[in-house]
Amino acid sequence: MMTQNIFKFPAKSEWQSLLTRPTLEKKNLRELVQDIFSEVKLNGDSALQDFSEKFDGVKIEQFSVSNEEIENASAEVSEDLKNAIKQAKDNILKFHNSQKNEINKIETQPGISCWRESRAIENVGLYIPGGTAPLFSTILMLAIPAKIAGCKNIILCTPPQKDGKINPVILFTAQLCGVEKIYKVGGAQAIAALTFGTETVPKVDKIFGPGNQYVTAAKELAVDNGVAIDMPAGPSEVLVIADSSANPEFCAADLLSQAEHGIDSQVIFIATDETIFEKTLEEINLQVEELPRNEIAKKALENSRFILLDSVENALEFSNLYAPEHLILSIENPENYIDLIVNAGSVFLGNYSPEAAGDYATGTNHTLPTNGFARNYSGVSLDSFVKKITFQNLTEIGLKNIGKSVELMAEAEGLFAHKNAVSLRLKSLENGI
Amino acid sequence: MMTQNIFKFPAKSEWQSLLTRPTLEKKNLRELVQDIFSEVKLNGDSALQDFSEKFDGVKIEQFSVSNEEIENASAEVSEDLKNAIKQAKDNILKFHNSQKNEINKIETQPGISCWRESRAIENVGLYIPGGTAPLFSTILMLAIPAKIAGCKNIILCTPPQKDGKINPVILFTAQLCGVEKIYKVGGAQAIAALTFGTETVPKVDKIFGPGNQYVTAAKELAVDNGVAIDMPAGPSEVLVIADSSANPEFCAADLLSQAEHGIDSQVIFIATDETIFEKTLEEINLQVEELPRNEIAKKALENSRFILLDSVENALEFSNLYAPEHLILSIENPENYIDLIVNAGSVFLGNYSPEAAGDYATGTNHTLPTNGFARNYSGVSLDSFVKKITFQNLTEIGLKNIGKSVELMAEAEGLFAHKNAVSLRLKSLENGI
């Protein structure tokens, strides 16, 4: 553990410097990605083929995954893993099903009904990174709410392996979730394909999913081209708050499970008990050595902060300023502190709620706002896959009740045709037509 | 009426060309706006002063509106208009209050509770355009849900008049809605101030509100700087569907009330009855002449489409492809067709539900997705002012129930610290600790 990352009872005036995140060397990829977009827009599939050869080192003749490939995949996944994925699916389904809204018609005044109805975004694109560790869990997090919402076309893009195939766990999970349109294309070119459509890959209305810096830059460009995205991207992070009831072994494991994500991950540990604090630091040093990805985790720990504060209230004040993606409360009676939480993506309460549980299987979504975006964005939920359309129905009485007000306000804004649309109707009602 | 904008029973193969929107001469303002952002970031208030002088032609010494100015404003607004605004406020309050969600705790498996809680976005910026027609109604649409959400700081920016004052109706409406922080600054410099903060104007987490092309470009740049925005902008539009029960006078008035917004507005009229169709065209020609803004309306009509189709079902199919901001159903039993509506911002049912009513006072929000964004965005609602944080609480039993699955999935994704965070806990439970 770097001693320069340890802060004991820092004054609030010093907090600002502790709230900084590792600055990303944000290369300007815009131009490069713009070129990829232009190419894909112009040349469609043939551009995708070129980029796959160039970036993924593989020649793809047929981007769409065949039914045969999907069916064969299942045989390559162990029954244990399949059952695990199914259990996760059930929980995610249950929680996201509970996010449906009843239609709630309100009579704002006699004769004026107003309500909202949800409609699925018709065409959604799910981007799933490939590479050595296939993030099949992200398929669960995106495809399940898309299905509940009733999205008509769920398009999954994921980069092919060197052998031109897709990892079987990805195919199994996609099939389990009812995703039928899977394409072997990754990187910025996949986002471009989803933005414009090609002969093979359909154009979508909204793009979801994580990715490297090229994918991130491409998603920003997709927005400029009228496609919505789930949320802005950034490195992953966790903030753990521990009091004397915490278990240092668990705290260390939770901090490391975030640190292993990438060298730009950040973990923040705040303890209110000095013994727990010291023991957790020791545990981190022990556990990190055992990890296959310990090089990554050690790098991430260099970005990290270990802070001793005098109360849980102060710890939460710090946490709200930091706005962590994940917040773990390893404290006694965590439910008593919930109202103090203002900015966070997902919160884990108590000693038996590790972040890893929520990453996979509690039922909550793991696509969450990072990089301080928990201040202004929610994580992915059923809401992310629908629009809410407002409806209003005015009876003659309803229009009479607000007609005069609308006329006055329209006139004051200088919009006389707006006024007229009401005046004509009021007049016809007076005339008893 | 231009005959080239009239289409009788076009085949579906011709629809694509009828769905086009007026292409915006999208000037590249990015560089100009980037310069404004850099200046404001560097020089704060003094940059704002320079830009106000340059763009608004007025020298502002004190950007924040004083209590005195706010209190004096009320005397300058007629009682009738005040009462109209108050009635609108009550309806908007009622409808947006109805959008609050109860906390809904779900036990996804025994011992695993998951739920979401809403938290206000703490700092929000409302941009209200000035000019000849002060859009005070937009203050109602933005400040009321911000207040219900519980936003801590509601910052309103609006450009000063040439005399350095703010239109009194804007000040009255802001005060009525409980907005206390009002700044005399407009244009891209206002968005820059809200993005970075200056000595006077506070930095915010999310920016709402309409504006000209500079404001629109500035909001895009705000996003690049980590600030959220309400939605992408575009010219306003309405689509009216009329059957034989429609009133041509009303239809014409509704179409014109959209056309008067700006020369880039677009109105689409679809009738299923030829008599109603022809009469509405005649009515438009009559009514447009009476409008003070008839030059604007006539220009907008040139962008518009008047289409005769053979059924309401087909009309709605067309409407869903177009994805209008406003959709008016001047048809018999409009409620029977609601399920067919997939893409629209706000829908007005029946002959006594003019768009103007919803623009001001039914209670629904008038900040809506334009330019086809109704495919992938919702209008502003209470949701726009909150984040939804997920919570999960696992008991020992809960963790035992999913622990094995999490271990398997983490391992399959190559994330061993994730696995370990669960394994350590399962082990401690086995050991009965």
Side-chain angles (χ1 to χ4, degrees):
Chain A
M1 191 62 43
M2 328 276 118
T3 51
Q4 71 266 31
N5 291 337
I6 295 174
F7 305 89
K8 295 192 178 178
F9 306 112
K12 284 193 184 176
S13 59
E14 291 169 52
W15 282 13
Q16 202 54 48
S17 67
L18 303 182
L19 290 164
T20 56
R21 286 175 158 85
T23 43
L24 298 172
E25 194 201 331
K26 202 183 175 179
K27 290 180 211 142
N28 200 345
L29 302 172
R30 204 178 169 90
E31 233 167 276
L32 175 66
V33 170
Q34 179 64 66
D35 288 345
I36 295 174
F37 268 53
S38 304
E39 272 296 306
V40 172
K41 190 176 180 181
L42 196 66
N43 297 319
D45 284 349
S46 102
L48 295 186
Q49 261 158 356
D50 292 347
F51 289 125
S52 295
E53 209 164 340
K54 188 170 168 190
F55 297 131
D56 301 327
V58 51
K59 200 163 177 156
I60 301 290
E61 295 298 337
Q62 171 74 4
F63 287 105
S64 56
V65 176
S66 67
N67 288 337
E68 206 189 336
E69 284 175 280
I70 295 174
E71 278 153 29
N72 291 345
S74 177
E76 293 180 54
V77 182
S78 76
E79 285 307 313
D80 279 356
L81 182 55
K82 279 188 205 171
N83 287 331
I85 293 172
K86 283 178 189 164
Q87 187 184 34
K89 186 198 162 193
D90 289 344
N91 289 345
I92 296 165
L93 192 64
K94 207 165 184 178
F95 184 54
H96 288 76
N97 258 326
S98 80
Q99 294 165 11
K100 287 184 196 162
N101 285 315
E102 298 285 310
I103 293 172
N104 183 15
K105 280 197 194 187
I106 295 296
E107 197 169 50
T108 52
Q109 284 196 226
I112 307 178
S113 302
C114 301
W115 69 99
R116 295 191 299 166
E117 297 194 18
S118 291
R119 292 290 184 277
I121 297 176
E122 291 186 278
N123 309 292
V124 296
L126 317 185
Y127 184 79
I128 305 297
T132 47
L135 296 185
F136 59 86
S137 61
T138 301
I139 302 176
L140 297 171
M141 298 298 173
L142 300 178
I144 292 170
K147 273 282 169 188
I148 296 171
C151 299
K152 225 163 61 179
N153 295 302
I154 304 174
I155 313 299
L156 191 154
C157 288
T158 188
Q161 300 169 164
K162 293 272 178 235
D163 61 2
K165 292 183 177 167
I166 302 290
N167 184 295
V169 193
I170 287 197
L171 293 182
F172 168 78
T173 309
Q175 191 192 26
L176 181 72
C177 296
V179 177
E180 287 159 1
K181 293 171 188 158
I182 308 173
Y183 300 92
K184 297 176 188 176
V185 55
Q189 62 270 26
I191 306 300
L194 293 168
T195 300
F196 301 116
T198 70
E199 300 91 322
T200 308
V201 183
K203 173 180 167 39
V204 301
D205 303 313
K206 189 167 184 178
I207 298 172
F208 297 79
N212 61 22
Q213 53 186 344
Y214 296 93
V215 171
T216 298
K219 282 171 73 182
E220 287 171 13
L221 212 55
V223 172
D224 292 349
N225 285 282
V227 177
I229 62 169
D230 45 1
M231 71 188 77
S236 203
E237 64 214 7
V238 70
L239 190 149
V240 176
I241 298 177
D243 68 6
S244 59
S245 74
N247 180 320
E249 218 186 356
F250 300 173
C251 290
D254 291 341
L255 292 163
L256 287 171
S257 72
Q258 193 57 42
E260 77 172 340
H261 266 300
I263 57 168
D264 53 0
S265 290
Q266 190 176 45
V267 307
I268 311 266
F269 180 58
I270 305 180
T272 60
D273 179 286
E274 195 150 6
T275 313
I276 296 288
F277 186 69
E278 301 293 351
K279 279 194 180 163
T280 301
L281 296 182
E282 282 165 34
E283 268 295 325
I284 291 173
N285 286 331
L286 288 174
Q287 289 182 25
V288 72
E289 297 302 335
E290 305 301 315
L291 295 177
R293 293 164 72 101
N294 68 55
E295 290 303 320
I296 291 174
K298 282 178 183 175
K299 274 273 179 206
L301 289 176
E302 288 176 25
N303 302 327
S304 298
R305 305 272 154 70
F306 305 89
I307 306 169
L308 195 59
L309 288 179
D310 60 5
S311 69
V312 172
E313 286 79 0
N314 273 334
L316 282 170
E317 190 180 332
F318 186 97
S319 174
N320 285 329
L321 290 169
Y322 182 76
E325 180 189 8
H326 306 97
L327 172 61
I328 300 179
L329 298 188
S330 294
I331 58 177
E332 226 166 351
N333 303 319
E335 59 282 2
N336 293 348
Y337 294 90
I338 287 177
D339 288 348
L340 296 179
I341 300 169
V342 180
N343 297 323
S346 194
V347 183
F348 300 79
L349 303 174
N351 285 336
Y352 291 93
S353 305
E355 187 206 309
D359 285 342
Y360 292 106
T362 57
T364 62
N365 209 292
H366 78 197
T367 309
L368 295 166
T370 56
N371 207 27
F373 287 118
R375 283 183 204 96
N376 36 18
Y377 291 89
S378 307
V380 163
S381 70
L382 184 58
D383 299 337
S384 311
F385 293 88
V386 300
K387 304 96 56 175
K388 289 185 183 167
I389 304 177
T390 47
F391 289 83
Q392 51 242 290
N393 194 349
L394 286 78
T395 63
E396 287 89 333
I397 301 292
L399 189 68
K400 275 186 180 168
N401 278 335
I402 57 165
K404 191 78 202 143
S405 291
V406 174
E407 287 180 313
L408 280 164
M409 291 173 76
E411 193 177 334
E413 289 193 350
L415 296 173
F416 287 90
H418 283 65
K419 181 183 177 186
N420 200 41
V422 172
S423 304
L424 283 175
R425 286 170 167 91
L426 291 179
K427 210 174 296 166
S428 91
L429 289 173
E430 273 169 30
N431 297 340
I433 300 168
Chain B
M1 190 63 43
M2 328 278 118
T3 51
Q4 71 267 31
N5 291 338
I6 295 174
F7 305 89
K8 295 192 178 176
F9 305 111
K12 284 193 185 177
S13 57
E14 292 168 52
W15 283 14
Q16 202 54 47
S17 68
L18 303 182
L19 290 164
T20 56
R21 287 174 158 85
T23 43
L24 299 172
E25 195 199 333
K26 202 183 176 179
K27 289 179 211 142
N28 199 345
L29 302 171
R30 205 180 169 89
E31 232 168 278
L32 176 65
V33 170
Q34 179 64 65
D35 287 346
I36 295 174
F37 268 53
S38 303
E39 272 296 306
V40 171
K41 190 176 181 181
L42 195 68
N43 297 319
D45 284 350
S46 103
L48 295 185
Q49 260 156 356
D50 292 347
F51 289 125
S52 296
E53 209 165 339
K54 188 171 169 189
F55 297 130
D56 301 327
V58 51
K59 201 163 177 156
I60 301 290
E61 296 297 338
Q62 171 74 5
F63 287 105
S64 56
V65 176
S66 68
N67 288 338
E68 206 188 334
E69 285 174 277
I70 295 174
E71 277 153 30
N72 291 346
S74 177
E76 292 181 53
V77 182
S78 76
E79 285 306 312
D80 279 355
L81 184 55
K82 279 188 207 171
N83 287 331
I85 294 172
K86 282 178 189 163
Q87 188 185 32
K89 185 197 162 194
D90 288 345
N91 289 346
I92 297 164
L93 192 63
K94 208 163 184 181
F95 184 54
H96 288 76
N97 258 327
S98 80
Q99 294 165 11
K100 286 183 196 162
N101 286 314
E102 298 284 312
I103 294 173
N104 182 17
K105 280 198 195 187
I106 295 296
E107 197 169 48
T108 52
Q109 287 196 224
I112 306 178
S113 302
C114 301
W115 69 98
R116 295 192 298 166
E117 297 194 18
S118 292
R119 292 291 184 278
I121 296 176
E122 292 186 280
N123 310 291
V124 296
L126 316 185
Y127 184 80
I128 305 296
T132 46
L135 296 186
F136 59 86
S137 61
T138 301
I139 303 176
L140 297 171
M141 299 298 173
L142 299 179
I144 291 170
K147 271 284 168 188
I148 296 171
C151 299
K152 225 163 64 178
N153 295 301
I154 303 174
I155 313 298
L156 192 154
C157 287
T158 188
Q161 300 168 163
K162 292 271 178 238
D163 61 1
K165 291 182 179 170
I166 302 292
N167 184 295
V169 194
I170 288 197
L171 294 182
F172 168 78
T173 309
Q175 191 192 27
L176 181 71
C177 296
V179 177
E180 286 160 0
K181 292 169 189 160
I182 308 173
Y183 299 92
K184 298 176 188 174
V185 56
Q189 64 270 26
I191 306 301
L194 293 168
T195 300
F196 301 116
T198 69
E199 300 90 321
T200 308
V201 182
K203 172 180 169 36
V204 301
D205 302 313
K206 190 168 183 177
I207 298 173
F208 296 79
N212 60 20
Q213 53 187 344
Y214 296 94
V215 171
T216 298
K219 282 171 73 183
E220 288 172 12
L221 212 55
V223 172
D224 291 349
N225 285 282
V227 177
I229 62 169
D230 45 2
M231 72 189 78
S236 203
E237 65 215 7
V238 71
L239 190 150
V240 176
I241 298 177
D243 68 7
S244 59
S245 73
N247 180 320
E249 218 187 357
F250 299 174
C251 289
D254 291 341
L255 291 163
L256 286 170
S257 72
Q258 193 58 42
E260 78 173 339
H261 266 301
I263 55 167
D264 54 0
S265 289
Q266 189 177 45
V267 308
I268 310 265
F269 179 57
I270 305 180
T272 60
D273 179 288
E274 195 149 5
T275 314
I276 296 288
F277 186 69
E278 300 294 351
K279 279 194 179 161
T280 301
L281 297 182
E282 282 165 33
E283 267 295 326
I284 291 173
N285 286 330
L286 288 173
Q287 289 182 25
V288 72
E289 297 301 336
E290 305 301 315
L291 295 177
R293 292 164 73 102
N294 68 55
E295 290 303 320
I296 291 173
K298 282 178 182 174
K299 274 270 178 209
L301 289 176
E302 290 175 24
N303 303 327
S304 299
R305 305 272 155 71
F306 305 90
I307 306 170
L308 196 58
L309 287 180
D310 60 5
S311 70
V312 172
E313 286 80 0
N314 273 333
L316 282 170
E317 191 180 330
F318 186 97
S319 174
N320 286 330
L321 290 169
Y322 183 76
E325 181 189 8
H326 305 97
L327 172 61
I328 300 179
L329 297 188
S330 295
I331 59 176
E332 226 166 350
N333 302 320
E335 58 282 3
N336 294 349
Y337 294 90
I338 287 177
D339 288 348
L340 296 179
I341 301 169
V342 180
N343 297 323
S346 195
V347 183
F348 301 80
L349 302 175
N351 286 336
Y352 292 92
S353 304
E355 188 207 309
D359 286 341
Y360 292 107
T362 57
T364 63
N365 208 293
H366 78 196
T367 310
L368 295 167
T370 57
N371 206 28
F373 287 118
R375 284 184 204 95
N376 37 18
Y377 291 89
S378 307
V380 163
S381 70
L382 183 58
D383 299 337
S384 312
F385 294 88
V386 301
K387 302 99 52 175
K388 289 184 183 167
I389 304 177
T390 47
F391 289 82
Q392 51 242 289
N393 194 350
L394 286 78
T395 63
E396 286 90 333
I397 300 292
L399 189 68
K400 276 186 179 167
N401 278 335
I402 56 165
K404 190 78 199 143
S405 291
V406 174
E407 287 180 314
L408 279 164
M409 291 173 76
E411 194 177 332
E413 289 193 349
L415 297 172
F416 288 90
H418 283 64
K419 181 183 178 186
N420 200 41
V422 172
S423 304
L424 283 175
R425 285 171 167 92
L426 291 180
K427 210 175 293 165
S428 91
L429 289 174
E430 274 168 29
N431 296 340
I433 297 167

